[in-house]
Amino acid sequence: MSIKTDIAHAGRLISEGGVVAFPTETVYGLGADAFNPKAVARVFEIKERPSFDPLIVHISNLAQLDELWLQKDERLLQLAEKFWPGPLTIVVEKHPSVPDIVTSGLPTVGIRMPGHPVALALIEAAGTPVAAPSANKFGRISPTNAEHVRSQLPEADFILNGGTTTVGIESTVISLGKNGFTLLRPGAVTIAEITEVLPRVFETEKGSEKHSPGHMLSHYSPRKPIYFTTDAPAGTDISLAGLISFGAPLDASKYKLVEVLSAKKDMKEAAVNLFGAMHRMEAAGVAVMLVEPLPEEGIGIAIMDRLRKATFQYKPQ
Ligand code: TXA
Ligand code: MG
C-alpha cells in the first residue's frame, strides 16, 4: 500500500473509533478521536497508562482550536505562529466539550500541531483532533520508528509507518498562566526560544504540573539497569556493558556494545539518536547500560531530563 492509502485507511479507522499509531517529528504517537471517550479509553488501556496522566490533543489547523479551548488566547496564537507546526505543546483552559478522560479530569488541555506531513494528513483524514500519548508502554522507552511501536504495542489497530522521526525527543510542554508560561516538560523547543515570545514564570498553576511527566522521577526506562558513566557502581564489568556515548569514545573496544549519539557532538543529532540507541542496547541484551552525561544547554536540557528519569531507579547506593 502507498503512504496515501495508508493515511486514508488510518484516518478512517480513527473516525470510526479505532486506535492508530502514527509518526510525528518527535516520537510516534498512539492516537484516537479526541472527542470519542471510548476510543481514548482504549489508548490508556493499550499503553497501560495511569488515568491521571493527560493526553496531548493534536490538531492540523488553527480552526480546530475553537472546539478545544475555553476562550481565544492571543498568546497561544503568537506561539503557534512561531512554533507550529512543531514540537511545542501548549496547555490552556479547556472547552467543556473536551472529554474528561483526555485531560484526566483537569480543567486544562494540552494542544499541539505536529510538524510532520504524515501526522497532519492523518488528522485531516480523520476529520477530528487526535488525542495521543507517545506510542510506548507507560514509563518505557519512547518509539522513534514503526518497529519500536510494533514490538511494544501490537494491540494498535494500525501502525502508520512514516520512517524514523527527525527530532527524536518529545515536545516541550508549557502551560499558559496570567503572567507568562510555566515549563512542564523540557523538549525540542528550548526555553530561550519561547521566552522570545512570552516571559517564563515559576508559579504553580491549578496544580497541573504534578500531572506532567516532567514531574515524574522515573520514566523512559529500559528494562536493563542504566547508569550515568559518572555513577556506575564499582565492579561493573564493562565487557558486558553497553556504552551510550555523546562523541566518539576512546575506549570503545572495552565495551560489549557502543552507541555514539553524535560523532561530531551535535546536540540535535544526539536527540535524534537517543531513544533508538536505548532500544538497540535493550535488544542486544547488554547486562547494563552506561550513558555519558551531555552538556545542559539548548536541547541538551531535554536530553538530560530524559536521561535523569531513565537512570533514576538505578542510582548507586
Ligand atoms: O512529542 C510529543 O509530545 C509526543 C508526540 C506523540 O506528540 N507525545 C507525548 O505524549 O510525548 P505523552 O503523553 O507521552 O506526554 C505528554 C505529557 C503528558 O504526560 C502530560 O503529563 C502532559 O504532556 N500534559 C498533557 N496535557 C496536560 C495538561 N492538561 N496539563 C498538564 N500536563 C499535560
Ligand atoms: Mg511519553
Side-chain angles (χ1 to χ4, degrees):
M1 274 205 294
S2 76
I3 185 76
K4 265 198 169 160
T5 333
D6 281 356
I7 291 169
H9 175 62
R12 199 172 321 112
L13 281 173
I14 287 184
S15 70
E16 290 167 356
V19 171
V20 167
F22 63 100
T24 81
E25 78 282 30
T26 58
V27 300
Y28 274 68
L30 183 67
D33 176 355
F35 290 101
N36 182 335
K38 267 197 180 150
V40 174
R42 262 193 78 217
V43 170
F44 277 89
E45 220 173 86
I46 292 174
K47 197 178 149 84
E48 296 168 17
R49 181 180 180 107
S51 60
F52 60 77
D53 198 358
L55 306 187
I56 293 171
V57 176
H58 298 73
I59 60 173
S60 55
N61 62 72
L62 294 178
Q64 289 167 318
L65 287 170
D66 290 332
E67 46 185 346
L68 296 173
W69 60 12
L70 187 61
Q71 57 198 15
K72 185 171 174 166
D73 188 329
E74 284 297 336
R75 298 164 313 160
L76 184 149
L77 295 175
Q78 278 171 355
L79 292 164
E81 172 85 30
K82 179 160 180 193
F83 299 107
W84 284 358
L88 178 67
T89 297
I90 306 171
V91 174
V92 291
E93 284 186 80
K94 83 171 185 77
H95 192 282
S97 66
V98 178
D100 282 336
I101 188 165
V102 172
T103 64
S104 302
L106 290 172
T108 54
V109 59
I111 309 170
R112 121 171 161 90
M113 187 188 291
H116 194 298
V118 174
L120 292 172
L122 170 68
I123 300 164
E124 284 293 309
T128 178
V130 172
S134 52
N136 49 279
K137 290 281 185 198
F138 181 71
R140 301 281 321 287
I141 309 170
S142 304
T144 53
N145 66 34
E147 196 42 52
H148 296 156
V149 181
R150 206 167 289 121
S151 62
Q152 285 195 52
L153 305 177
E155 309 93 322
D157 295 324
F158 187 66
I159 299 173
L160 190 52
N161 190 343
T164 301
T165 63
T166 52
V167 171
I169 203 156
E170 297 89 344
S171 64
T172 307
V173 183
I174 62 172
S175 115
L176 296 188
K178 272 194 292 298
N179 305 315
F181 77 90
T182 316
L183 180 71
L184 301 182
R185 177 176 71 182
V189 170
T190 64
I191 301 151
E193 288 172 309
I194 304 169
T195 45
E196 283 171 18
V197 180
L198 205 65
R200 179 177 181 186
V201 291
F202 292 85
E203 80 228 21
T204 302
E205 291 184 55
K206 300 188 184 70
S208 63
E209 288 83 350
K210 59 178 179 287
H211 294 271
S212 211
H215 296 257
M216 283 178 200
L217 291 169
S218 174
H219 216 71
Y220 314 104
S221 305
R223 277 193 263 238
K224 284 293 159 63
I226 176 164
Y227 298 94
F228 281 116
T229 46
T230 43
D231 287 343
T236 301
D237 181 353
I238 67 171
S239 69
L240 301 176
L243 174 69
I244 300 179
S245 173
F246 181 33
L250 295 174
D251 52 353
S253 60
K254 294 187 189 155
Y255 295 86
K256 178 171 166 139
L257 188 66
V258 173
E259 287 283 346
V260 176
L261 295 183
S262 170
K264 51 177 193 282
K265 294 211 170 193
D266 176 273
M267 212 88 86
K268 284 200 168 135
E269 187 179 39
V272 171
N273 291 327
L274 177 70
F275 289 130
M278 287 166 72
H279 279 289
R280 284 191 294 277
M281 289 267 165
E282 195 171 74
V286 296
V288 54
M289 298 182 200
L290 300 175
V291 56
E292 241 174 50
L294 276 77
E296 286 189 74
E297 49 203 52
I299 200 172
I301 295 173
I303 298 175
M304 284 299 284
D305 167 75
R306 308 303 188 271
L307 289 176
R308 284 214 178 82
K309 291 186 174 110
T311 57
F312 178 75
Q313 56 188 307
Y314 298 111
K315 282 274 171 216
Q317 305 309 309

